[in-house]
Amino acid sequence: MNAQLLNIYRMETQMETTRLLRSPGFAIPSLLFPLMFYIFFGIMFHVGGVNAPTYMLASYGTFGVIGPALFSFGVGIAVERGQGWFDVKEASPMPASAYLVARMGVSLAFSLVVIASLFLIAAVFAGVRFELSQWLLLAAVLFAGSLPFCAFGMTLGLYLKSSSAPAVVNLIYLPMSFLSGLWVPINFFGPNMQLAANFLPPYHLSQLAHKVVGGDLGGSLWYHLGFLLAFTLVFLFLALKAYNKEDK
């Protein structure tokens, strides 16, 4: 990869970051909602028999990294398609990969801010104590775990209309998070709901995060990784198919 292409990626990512920071409708919910939910459910509201601050750190860490991926790609791309800005990008001499790399860079940057903020609140206000290796491993799991949802969000953005994208993404994001056990521990659900959670990607990412902090349900590491990998490949295929259709 030559220096000129890297500079294009850097500049496009910088412009995308500036644009999103000027859009409080994206920045504020993506950053504040996970923190607010963690403070309320993880610190103020303790569930009996559960170390709430530790358990909910993994759960709301998962919730926090999914939001930027879905909204940056899903809503962002759909809106820009509706405004014609997506076509302008396609017609420009800028490589198509720069647009997607910039979107992914912004999503990952927001995810890092969410992770760091949750860790700070957990350590300072909730008394969560891990070894340094656990903090780093949990951050790495959550950070990498946002990538499958970038693929999902990109697919949604390429298929949804700009007028319906925000509502549809919210209708997917919030119920999917709840049913995956991110707001209430999954073992509080009935058997059928617990079984249904196995078909939802946030459940698998949260279980990987819970393995780091010692609160998972004991499922196989490779089972969760395999599900997320398959989920990523399916939605990358669908996104590529939709992108090629848009390009015609």
mmCIF file of all heavy atoms in Angstrom, residues 46-97:
data_model
loop_
_atom_site.group_PDB
_atom_site.id
_atom_site.type_symbol
_atom_site.label_atom_id
_atom_site.label_comp_id
_atom_site.label_asym_id
_atom_site.label_seq_id
_atom_site.Cartn_x
_atom_site.Cartn_y
_atom_site.Cartn_z
ATOM 1 N N HIS A 46 -28.627 -3.287 41.424
ATOM 2 C CA HIS A 46 -27.912 -4.548 41.547
ATOM 3 C C HIS A 46 -28.893 -5.714 41.489
ATOM 4 O O HIS A 46 -29.892 -5.736 42.212
ATOM 5 C CB HIS A 46 -27.135 -4.609 42.867
ATOM 6 C CG HIS A 46 -25.937 -3.709 42.890
ATOM 7 N ND1 HIS A 46 -24.674 -4.152 42.578
ATOM 8 C CD2 HIS A 46 -25.820 -2.384 43.165
ATOM 9 C CE1 HIS A 46 -23.827 -3.143 42.678
ATOM 10 N NE2 HIS A 46 -24.497 -2.059 43.023
ATOM 11 N N VAL A 47 -28.588 -6.669 40.621
ATOM 12 C CA VAL A 47 -29.406 -7.871 40.501
ATOM 13 C C VAL A 47 -28.897 -8.902 41.491
ATOM 14 O O VAL A 47 -27.698 -9.183 41.553
ATOM 15 C CB VAL A 47 -29.342 -8.437 39.069
ATOM 16 C CG1 VAL A 47 -30.222 -9.668 38.942
ATOM 17 C CG2 VAL A 47 -29.767 -7.372 38.070
ATOM 18 N N GLY A 48 -29.784 -9.463 42.279
ATOM 19 C CA GLY A 48 -29.397 -10.413 43.300
ATOM 20 C C GLY A 48 -28.651 -11.608 42.746
ATOM 21 O O GLY A 48 -29.033 -12.182 41.746
ATOM 22 N N GLY A 49 -27.556 -11.977 43.404
ATOM 23 C CA GLY A 49 -26.787 -13.141 43.000
ATOM 24 C C GLY A 49 -25.827 -12.888 41.850
ATOM 25 O O GLY A 49 -25.144 -13.784 41.390
ATOM 26 N N VAL A 50 -25.758 -11.649 41.355
ATOM 27 C CA VAL A 50 -24.899 -11.324 40.222
ATOM 28 C C VAL A 50 -23.987 -10.166 40.621
ATOM 29 O O VAL A 50 -24.435 -9.201 41.234
ATOM 30 C CB VAL A 50 -25.742 -10.934 38.983
ATOM 31 C CG1 VAL A 50 -24.840 -10.454 37.862
ATOM 32 C CG2 VAL A 50 -26.597 -12.107 38.536
ATOM 33 N N ASN A 51 -22.703 -10.271 40.298
ATOM 34 C CA ASN A 51 -21.790 -9.145 40.487
ATOM 35 C C ASN A 51 -22.065 -8.156 39.364
ATOM 36 O O ASN A 51 -21.438 -8.189 38.302
ATOM 37 C CB ASN A 51 -20.338 -9.645 40.439
ATOM 38 C CG ASN A 51 -19.353 -8.527 40.727
ATOM 39 O OD1 ASN A 51 -19.711 -7.355 40.761
ATOM 40 N ND2 ASN A 51 -18.107 -8.898 40.926
ATOM 41 N N ALA A 52 -23.042 -7.294 39.592
ATOM 42 C CA ALA A 52 -23.595 -6.464 38.527
ATOM 43 C C ALA A 52 -22.559 -5.586 37.827
ATOM 44 O O ALA A 52 -22.531 -5.539 36.598
ATOM 45 C CB ALA A 52 -24.750 -5.623 39.067
ATOM 46 N N PRO A 53 -21.717 -4.845 38.555
ATOM 47 C CA PRO A 53 -20.778 -3.968 37.845
ATOM 48 C C PRO A 53 -19.850 -4.725 36.890
ATOM 49 O O PRO A 53 -19.589 -4.257 35.787
ATOM 50 C CB PRO A 53 -19.986 -3.311 38.985
ATOM 51 C CG PRO A 53 -20.909 -3.346 40.152
ATOM 52 C CD PRO A 53 -21.649 -4.647 40.025
ATOM 53 N N THR A 54 -19.372 -5.897 37.316
ATOM 54 C CA THR A 54 -18.482 -6.687 36.458
ATOM 55 C C THR A 54 -19.240 -7.331 35.319
ATOM 56 O O THR A 54 -18.827 -7.274 34.160
ATOM 57 C CB THR A 54 -17.773 -7.772 37.283
ATOM 58 O OG1 THR A 54 -16.997 -7.146 38.312
ATOM 59 C CG2 THR A 54 -16.859 -8.615 36.415
ATOM 60 N N TYR A 55 -20.373 -7.930 35.643
ATOM 61 C CA TYR A 55 -21.157 -8.621 34.619
ATOM 62 C C TYR A 55 -21.643 -7.632 33.560
ATOM 63 O O TYR A 55 -21.520 -7.875 32.356
ATOM 64 C CB TYR A 55 -22.351 -9.325 35.271
ATOM 65 C CG TYR A 55 -23.166 -10.157 34.309
ATOM 66 C CD1 TYR A 55 -22.886 -11.501 34.113
ATOM 67 C CD2 TYR A 55 -24.221 -9.589 33.579
ATOM 68 C CE1 TYR A 55 -23.623 -12.269 33.229
ATOM 69 C CE2 TYR A 55 -24.957 -10.340 32.680
ATOM 70 C CZ TYR A 55 -24.660 -11.680 32.518
ATOM 71 O OH TYR A 55 -25.381 -12.431 31.625
ATOM 72 N N MET A 56 -22.197 -6.517 33.995
ATOM 73 C CA MET A 56 -22.759 -5.563 33.066
ATOM 74 C C MET A 56 -21.694 -4.798 32.285
ATOM 75 O O MET A 56 -21.985 -4.234 31.221
ATOM 76 C CB MET A 56 -23.666 -4.581 33.803
ATOM 77 C CG MET A 56 -24.962 -5.204 34.296
ATOM 78 S SD MET A 56 -25.934 -5.869 32.917
ATOM 79 C CE MET A 56 -27.407 -6.445 33.774
ATOM 80 N N LEU A 57 -20.466 -4.782 32.767
ATOM 81 C CA LEU A 57 -19.398 -4.153 31.995
ATOM 82 C C LEU A 57 -19.207 -4.890 30.673
ATOM 83 O O LEU A 57 -19.057 -4.264 29.615
ATOM 84 C CB LEU A 57 -18.092 -4.149 32.800
ATOM 85 C CG LEU A 57 -16.873 -3.569 32.073
ATOM 86 C CD1 LEU A 57 -17.114 -2.110 31.703
ATOM 87 C CD2 LEU A 57 -15.631 -3.703 32.950
ATOM 88 N N ALA A 58 -19.212 -6.223 30.732
ATOM 89 C CA ALA A 58 -19.098 -7.009 29.501
ATOM 90 C C ALA A 58 -20.335 -6.845 28.628
ATOM 91 O O ALA A 58 -20.235 -6.729 27.402
ATOM 92 C CB ALA A 58 -18.874 -8.482 29.845
ATOM 93 N N SER A 59 -21.514 -6.817 29.259
ATOM 94 C CA SER A 59 -22.761 -6.701 28.500
ATOM 95 C C SER A 59 -22.898 -5.346 27.821
ATOM 96 O O SER A 59 -23.187 -5.251 26.619
ATOM 97 C CB SER A 59 -23.961 -6.924 29.432
ATOM 98 O OG SER A 59 -23.975 -8.244 29.933
ATOM 99 N N TYR A 60 -22.680 -4.266 28.576
ATOM 100 C CA TYR A 60 -22.835 -2.946 27.988
ATOM 101 C C TYR A 60 -21.640 -2.544 27.141
ATOM 102 O O TYR A 60 -21.746 -1.644 26.293
ATOM 103 C CB TYR A 60 -23.150 -1.909 29.056
ATOM 104 C CG TYR A 60 -24.592 -1.991 29.459
ATOM 105 C CD1 TYR A 60 -24.970 -2.442 30.718
ATOM 106 C CD2 TYR A 60 -25.598 -1.680 28.547
ATOM 107 C CE1 TYR A 60 -26.309 -2.564 31.063
ATOM 108 C CE2 TYR A 60 -26.934 -1.800 28.885
ATOM 109 C CZ TYR A 60 -27.284 -2.242 30.144
ATOM 110 O OH TYR A 60 -28.612 -2.379 30.484
ATOM 111 N N GLY A 61 -20.506 -3.194 27.358
ATOM 112 C CA GLY A 61 -19.401 -3.026 26.418
ATOM 113 C C GLY A 61 -19.795 -3.550 25.048
ATOM 114 O O GLY A 61 -19.532 -2.922 24.017
ATOM 115 N N THR A 62 -20.466 -4.707 25.031
ATOM 116 C CA THR A 62 -20.979 -5.262 23.777
ATOM 117 C C THR A 62 -22.004 -4.326 23.152
ATOM 118 O O THR A 62 -21.938 -4.016 21.956
ATOM 119 C CB THR A 62 -21.608 -6.645 24.030
ATOM 120 O OG1 THR A 62 -20.627 -7.521 24.595
ATOM 121 C CG2 THR A 62 -22.142 -7.246 22.739
ATOM 122 N N PHE A 63 -22.946 -3.881 23.966
ATOM 123 C CA PHE A 63 -23.976 -2.955 23.481
ATOM 124 C C PHE A 63 -23.344 -1.685 22.908
ATOM 125 O O PHE A 63 -23.764 -1.169 21.866
ATOM 126 C CB PHE A 63 -24.913 -2.614 24.638
ATOM 127 C CG PHE A 63 -26.001 -1.625 24.300
ATOM 128 C CD1 PHE A 63 -27.095 -2.007 23.544
ATOM 129 C CD2 PHE A 63 -25.923 -0.316 24.753
ATOM 130 C CE1 PHE A 63 -28.104 -1.085 23.234
ATOM 131 C CE2 PHE A 63 -26.922 0.603 24.454
ATOM 132 C CZ PHE A 63 -28.013 0.213 23.692
ATOM 133 N N GLY A 64 -22.305 -1.212 23.576
ATOM 134 C CA GLY A 64 -21.686 0.046 23.185
ATOM 135 C C GLY A 64 -20.951 -0.003 21.867
ATOM 136 O O GLY A 64 -20.932 0.994 21.133
ATOM 137 N N VAL A 65 -20.324 -1.136 21.528
ATOM 138 C CA VAL A 65 -19.571 -1.205 20.273
ATOM 139 C C VAL A 65 -20.465 -1.538 19.076
ATOM 140 O O VAL A 65 -20.065 -1.322 17.926
ATOM 141 C CB VAL A 65 -18.414 -2.219 20.357
ATOM 142 C CG1 VAL A 65 -17.446 -1.837 21.472
ATOM 143 C CG2 VAL A 65 -18.909 -3.641 20.538
ATOM 144 N N ILE A 66 -21.653 -2.053 19.334
ATOM 145 C CA ILE A 66 -22.564 -2.376 18.234
ATOM 146 C C ILE A 66 -23.183 -1.103 17.660
ATOM 147 O O ILE A 66 -23.330 -0.969 16.443
ATOM 148 C CB ILE A 66 -23.673 -3.341 18.705
ATOM 149 C CG1 ILE A 66 -23.074 -4.686 19.079
ATOM 150 C CG2 ILE A 66 -24.727 -3.521 17.618
ATOM 151 C CD1 ILE A 66 -24.072 -5.644 19.708
ATOM 152 N N GLY A 67 -23.535 -0.155 18.530
ATOM 153 C CA GLY A 67 -24.210 1.061 18.102
ATOM 154 C C GLY A 67 -23.471 1.839 17.025
ATOM 155 O O GLY A 67 -24.044 2.133 15.964
ATOM 156 N N PRO A 68 -22.201 2.217 17.235
ATOM 157 C CA PRO A 68 -21.482 2.953 16.188
ATOM 158 C C PRO A 68 -21.404 2.197 14.867
ATOM 159 O O PRO A 68 -21.495 2.800 13.798
ATOM 160 C CB PRO A 68 -20.083 3.139 16.800
ATOM 161 C CG PRO A 68 -20.307 3.094 18.266
ATOM 162 C CD PRO A 68 -21.410 2.099 18.474
ATOM 163 N N ALA A 69 -21.246 0.876 14.939
ATOM 164 C CA ALA A 69 -21.158 0.086 13.709
ATOM 165 C C ALA A 69 -22.461 0.146 12.916
ATOM 166 O O ALA A 69 -22.457 0.361 11.697
ATOM 167 C CB ALA A 69 -20.806 -1.363 14.041
ATOM 168 N N LEU A 70 -23.576 -0.009 13.600
ATOM 169 C CA LEU A 70 -24.865 -0.010 12.904
ATOM 170 C C LEU A 70 -25.249 1.376 12.415
ATOM 171 O O LEU A 70 -25.771 1.539 11.306
ATOM 172 C CB LEU A 70 -25.962 -0.556 13.821
ATOM 173 C CG LEU A 70 -25.886 -2.036 14.181
ATOM 174 C CD1 LEU A 70 -27.129 -2.450 14.962
ATOM 175 C CD2 LEU A 70 -25.752 -2.902 12.936
ATOM 176 N N PHE A 71 -24.996 2.399 13.220
ATOM 177 C CA PHE A 71 -25.445 3.727 12.837
ATOM 178 C C PHE A 71 -24.489 4.407 11.862
ATOM 179 O O PHE A 71 -24.924 5.111 10.952
ATOM 180 C CB PHE A 71 -25.663 4.588 14.084
ATOM 181 C CG PHE A 71 -26.918 4.233 14.816
ATOM 182 C CD1 PHE A 71 -26.891 3.349 15.887
ATOM 183 C CD2 PHE A 71 -28.142 4.743 14.416
ATOM 184 C CE1 PHE A 71 -28.051 2.991 16.555
ATOM 185 C CE2 PHE A 71 -29.314 4.395 15.074
ATOM 186 C CZ PHE A 71 -29.267 3.510 16.138
ATOM 187 N N SER A 72 -23.183 4.214 12.033
ATOM 188 C CA SER A 72 -22.236 4.811 11.102
ATOM 189 C C SER A 72 -22.410 4.221 9.711
ATOM 190 O O SER A 72 -22.433 4.945 8.708
ATOM 191 C CB SER A 72 -20.803 4.584 11.585
ATOM 192 O OG SER A 72 -19.869 5.067 10.628
ATOM 193 N N PHE A 73 -22.549 2.914 9.636
ATOM 194 C CA PHE A 73 -22.727 2.259 8.344
ATOM 195 C C PHE A 73 -24.200 2.243 7.931
ATOM 196 O O PHE A 73 -24.556 2.724 6.853
ATOM 197 C CB PHE A 73 -22.200 0.828 8.395
ATOM 198 C CG PHE A 73 -20.714 0.723 8.219
ATOM 199 C CD1 PHE A 73 -19.871 0.711 9.320
ATOM 200 C CD2 PHE A 73 -20.161 0.641 6.969
ATOM 201 C CE1 PHE A 73 -18.505 0.610 9.162
ATOM 202 C CE2 PHE A 73 -18.785 0.553 6.788
ATOM 203 C CZ PHE A 73 -17.955 0.540 7.894
ATOM 204 N N GLY A 74 -25.047 1.672 8.775
ATOM 205 C CA GLY A 74 -26.438 1.475 8.396
ATOM 206 C C GLY A 74 -27.168 2.758 8.079
ATOM 207 O O GLY A 74 -27.633 2.972 6.952
ATOM 208 N N VAL A 75 -27.251 3.654 9.044
ATOM 209 C CA VAL A 75 -27.976 4.907 8.844
ATOM 210 C C VAL A 75 -27.175 5.856 7.957
ATOM 211 O O VAL A 75 -27.719 6.484 7.037
ATOM 212 C CB VAL A 75 -28.291 5.573 10.190
ATOM 213 C CG1 VAL A 75 -28.976 6.921 9.978
ATOM 214 C CG2 VAL A 75 -29.184 4.664 11.041
ATOM 215 N N GLY A 76 -25.874 5.941 8.210
ATOM 216 C CA GLY A 76 -25.041 6.886 7.467
ATOM 217 C C GLY A 76 -25.041 6.638 5.973
ATOM 218 O O GLY A 76 -25.234 7.560 5.169
ATOM 219 N N ILE A 77 -24.821 5.405 5.566
ATOM 220 C CA ILE A 77 -24.778 5.091 4.136
ATOM 221 C C ILE A 77 -26.150 5.270 3.506
ATOM 222 O O ILE A 77 -26.277 5.801 2.393
ATOM 223 C CB ILE A 77 -24.256 3.658 3.917
ATOM 224 C CG1 ILE A 77 -22.773 3.582 4.299
ATOM 225 C CG2 ILE A 77 -24.435 3.225 2.466
ATOM 226 C CD1 ILE A 77 -22.174 2.197 4.173
ATOM 227 N N ALA A 78 -27.197 4.835 4.206
ATOM 228 C CA ALA A 78 -28.556 4.974 3.657
ATOM 229 C C ALA A 78 -28.909 6.445 3.427
ATOM 230 O O ALA A 78 -29.477 6.805 2.386
ATOM 231 C CB ALA A 78 -29.569 4.325 4.594
ATOM 232 N N VAL A 79 -28.571 7.296 4.390
ATOM 233 C CA VAL A 79 -28.869 8.720 4.265
ATOM 234 C C VAL A 79 -28.084 9.325 3.103
ATOM 235 O O VAL A 79 -28.624 10.108 2.297
ATOM 236 C CB VAL A 79 -28.563 9.463 5.576
ATOM 237 C CG1 VAL A 79 -28.612 10.972 5.374
ATOM 238 C CG2 VAL A 79 -29.553 9.043 6.659
ATOM 239 N N GLU A 80 -26.813 8.983 2.983
ATOM 240 C CA GLU A 80 -25.995 9.542 1.914
ATOM 241 C C GLU A 80 -26.434 9.022 0.545
ATOM 242 O O GLU A 80 -26.324 9.734 -0.456
ATOM 243 C CB GLU A 80 -24.522 9.245 2.172
ATOM 244 C CG GLU A 80 -23.988 10.026 3.357
ATOM 245 C CD GLU A 80 -22.490 9.881 3.548
ATOM 246 O OE1 GLU A 80 -21.864 9.103 2.784
ATOM 247 O OE2 GLU A 80 -21.947 10.537 4.447
ATOM 248 N N ARG A 81 -26.927 7.809 0.489
ATOM 249 C CA ARG A 81 -27.494 7.306 -0.767
ATOM 250 C C ARG A 81 -28.727 8.125 -1.137
ATOM 251 O O ARG A 81 -28.915 8.494 -2.296
ATOM 252 C CB ARG A 81 -27.872 5.828 -0.629
ATOM 253 C CG ARG A 81 -26.707 4.874 -0.722
ATOM 254 C CD ARG A 81 -27.137 3.432 -0.457
ATOM 255 N NE ARG A 81 -28.251 3.038 -1.294
ATOM 256 C CZ ARG A 81 -29.434 2.631 -0.836
ATOM 257 N NH1 ARG A 81 -29.665 2.561 0.472
ATOM 258 N NH2 ARG A 81 -30.390 2.288 -1.670
ATOM 259 N N GLY A 82 -29.566 8.394 -0.148
ATOM 260 C CA GLY A 82 -30.780 9.160 -0.411
ATOM 261 C C GLY A 82 -30.500 10.582 -0.846
ATOM 262 O O GLY A 82 -31.249 11.165 -1.640
ATOM 263 N N GLN A 83 -29.419 11.171 -0.343
ATOM 264 C CA GLN A 83 -29.075 12.549 -0.689
ATOM 265 C C GLN A 83 -28.284 12.659 -1.987
ATOM 266 O O GLN A 83 -28.014 13.760 -2.463
ATOM 267 C CB GLN A 83 -28.263 13.178 0.445
ATOM 268 C CG GLN A 83 -29.040 13.334 1.747
ATOM 269 C CD GLN A 83 -28.165 13.793 2.896
ATOM 270 O OE1 GLN A 83 -26.937 13.641 2.863
ATOM 271 N NE2 GLN A 83 -28.788 14.349 3.927
ATOM 272 N N GLY A 84 -27.871 11.512 -2.534
ATOM 273 C CA GLY A 84 -27.074 11.525 -3.759
ATOM 274 C C GLY A 84 -25.584 11.653 -3.516
ATOM 275 O O GLY A 84 -24.777 11.599 -4.450
ATOM 276 N N TRP A 85 -25.198 11.814 -2.229
ATOM 277 C CA TRP A 85 -23.785 11.980 -1.907
ATOM 278 C C TRP A 85 -23.002 10.699 -2.167
ATOM 279 O O TRP A 85 -21.831 10.749 -2.548
ATOM 280 C CB TRP A 85 -23.656 12.406 -0.452
ATOM 281 C CG TRP A 85 -22.260 12.761 -0.028
ATOM 282 C CD1 TRP A 85 -21.523 12.163 0.950
ATOM 283 C CD2 TRP A 85 -21.427 13.802 -0.548
ATOM 284 N NE1 TRP A 85 -20.295 12.752 1.071
ATOM 285 C CE2 TRP A 85 -20.208 13.770 0.155
ATOM 286 C CE3 TRP A 85 -21.606 14.756 -1.559
ATOM 287 C CZ2 TRP A 85 -19.174 14.654 -0.116
ATOM 288 C CZ3 TRP A 85 -20.570 15.637 -1.839
ATOM 289 C CH2 TRP A 85 -19.371 15.576 -1.114
ATOM 290 N N PHE A 86 -23.656 9.578 -2.016
ATOM 291 C CA PHE A 86 -23.016 8.289 -2.282
ATOM 292 C C PHE A 86 -22.606 8.209 -3.758
ATOM 293 O O PHE A 86 -21.519 7.730 -4.090
ATOM 294 C CB PHE A 86 -23.974 7.148 -1.929
ATOM 295 C CG PHE A 86 -23.347 5.785 -1.908
ATOM 296 C CD1 PHE A 86 -22.634 5.339 -0.815
ATOM 297 C CD2 PHE A 86 -23.484 4.934 -2.998
ATOM 298 C CE1 PHE A 86 -22.064 4.071 -0.795
ATOM 299 C CE2 PHE A 86 -22.915 3.686 -2.995
ATOM 300 C CZ PHE A 86 -22.202 3.242 -1.893
ATOM 301 N N ASP A 87 -23.459 8.698 -4.663
ATOM 302 C CA ASP A 87 -23.155 8.682 -6.091
ATOM 303 C C ASP A 87 -21.992 9.614 -6.423
ATOM 304 O O ASP A 87 -21.162 9.322 -7.301
ATOM 305 C CB ASP A 87 -24.394 9.087 -6.902
ATOM 306 C CG ASP A 87 -25.523 8.072 -6.777
ATOM 307 O OD1 ASP A 87 -25.218 6.875 -6.584
ATOM 308 O OD2 ASP A 87 -26.699 8.479 -6.856
ATOM 309 N N VAL A 88 -21.936 10.747 -5.729
ATOM 310 C CA VAL A 88 -20.828 11.677 -5.934
ATOM 311 C C VAL A 88 -19.509 11.020 -5.549
ATOM 312 O O VAL A 88 -18.495 11.146 -6.251
ATOM 313 C CB VAL A 88 -21.047 12.970 -5.124
ATOM 314 C CG1 VAL A 88 -19.822 13.881 -5.202
ATOM 315 C CG2 VAL A 88 -22.282 13.701 -5.617
ATOM 316 N N LYS A 89 -19.521 10.316 -4.416
ATOM 317 C CA LYS A 89 -18.319 9.608 -3.974
ATOM 318 C C LYS A 89 -17.892 8.577 -5.011
ATOM 319 O O LYS A 89 -16.709 8.409 -5.305
ATOM 320 C CB LYS A 89 -18.589 8.914 -2.637
ATOM 321 C CG LYS A 89 -18.866 9.843 -1.473
ATOM 322 C CD LYS A 89 -17.610 10.222 -0.756
ATOM 323 C CE LYS A 89 -17.906 10.972 0.532
ATOM 324 N NZ LYS A 89 -16.684 11.318 1.271
ATOM 325 N N GLU A 90 -18.880 7.864 -5.546
ATOM 326 C CA GLU A 90 -18.583 6.836 -6.536
ATOM 327 C C GLU A 90 -18.000 7.434 -7.814
ATOM 328 O O GLU A 90 -17.149 6.824 -8.455
ATOM 329 C CB GLU A 90 -19.866 6.050 -6.864
ATOM 330 C CG GLU A 90 -20.304 5.100 -5.773
ATOM 331 C CD GLU A 90 -19.309 3.982 -5.569
ATOM 332 O OE1 GLU A 90 -19.109 3.187 -6.503
ATOM 333 O OE2 GLU A 90 -18.711 3.915 -4.486
ATOM 334 N N ALA A 91 -18.473 8.621 -8.196
ATOM 335 C CA ALA A 91 -18.018 9.244 -9.437
ATOM 336 C C ALA A 91 -16.665 9.929 -9.289
ATOM 337 O O ALA A 91 -16.008 10.242 -10.283
ATOM 338 C CB ALA A 91 -19.053 10.257 -9.914
ATOM 339 N N SER A 92 -16.252 10.180 -8.064
ATOM 340 C CA SER A 92 -14.986 10.872 -7.824
ATOM 341 C C SER A 92 -13.816 9.921 -8.079
ATOM 342 O O SER A 92 -13.971 8.700 -8.092
ATOM 343 C CB SER A 92 -14.936 11.383 -6.379
ATOM 344 O OG SER A 92 -14.741 10.303 -5.481
ATOM 345 N N PRO A 93 -12.614 10.471 -8.283
ATOM 346 C CA PRO A 93 -11.439 9.617 -8.498
ATOM 347 C C PRO A 93 -10.952 8.908 -7.237
ATOM 348 O O PRO A 93 -10.042 8.085 -7.302
ATOM 349 C CB PRO A 93 -10.389 10.600 -9.017
ATOM 350 C CG PRO A 93 -10.811 11.937 -8.494
ATOM 351 C CD PRO A 93 -12.316 11.895 -8.465
ATOM 352 N N MET A 94 -11.544 9.244 -6.111
ATOM 353 C CA MET A 94 -11.169 8.577 -4.863
ATOM 354 C C MET A 94 -11.490 7.088 -4.944
ATOM 355 O O MET A 94 -12.573 6.712 -5.409
ATOM 356 C CB MET A 94 -11.931 9.197 -3.693
ATOM 357 C CG MET A 94 -11.622 8.583 -2.332
ATOM 358 S SD MET A 94 -12.696 9.248 -1.029
ATOM 359 C CE MET A 94 -14.256 8.449 -1.416
ATOM 360 N N PRO A 95 -10.579 6.199 -4.528
ATOM 361 C CA PRO A 95 -10.892 4.766 -4.554
ATOM 362 C C PRO A 95 -12.078 4.442 -3.652
ATOM 363 O O PRO A 95 -12.231 5.022 -2.573
ATOM 364 C CB PRO A 95 -9.602 4.112 -4.045
ATOM 365 C CG PRO A 95 -8.865 5.184 -3.314
ATOM 366 C CD PRO A 95 -9.234 6.464 -4.005
ATOM 367 N N ALA A 96 -12.928 3.524 -4.110
ATOM 368 C CA ALA A 96 -14.128 3.162 -3.347
ATOM 369 C C ALA A 96 -13.780 2.645 -1.958
ATOM 370 O O ALA A 96 -14.533 2.853 -0.995
ATOM 371 C CB ALA A 96 -14.932 2.121 -4.114
ATOM 372 N N SER A 97 -12.632 1.993 -1.850
ATOM 373 C CA SER A 97 -12.232 1.431 -0.556
ATOM 374 C C SER A 97 -12.026 2.508 0.492
ATOM 375 O O SER A 97 -12.206 2.267 1.688
ATOM 376 C CB SER A 97 -10.946 0.605 -0.710
ATOM 377 O OG SER A 97 -9.887 1.416 -1.209
#
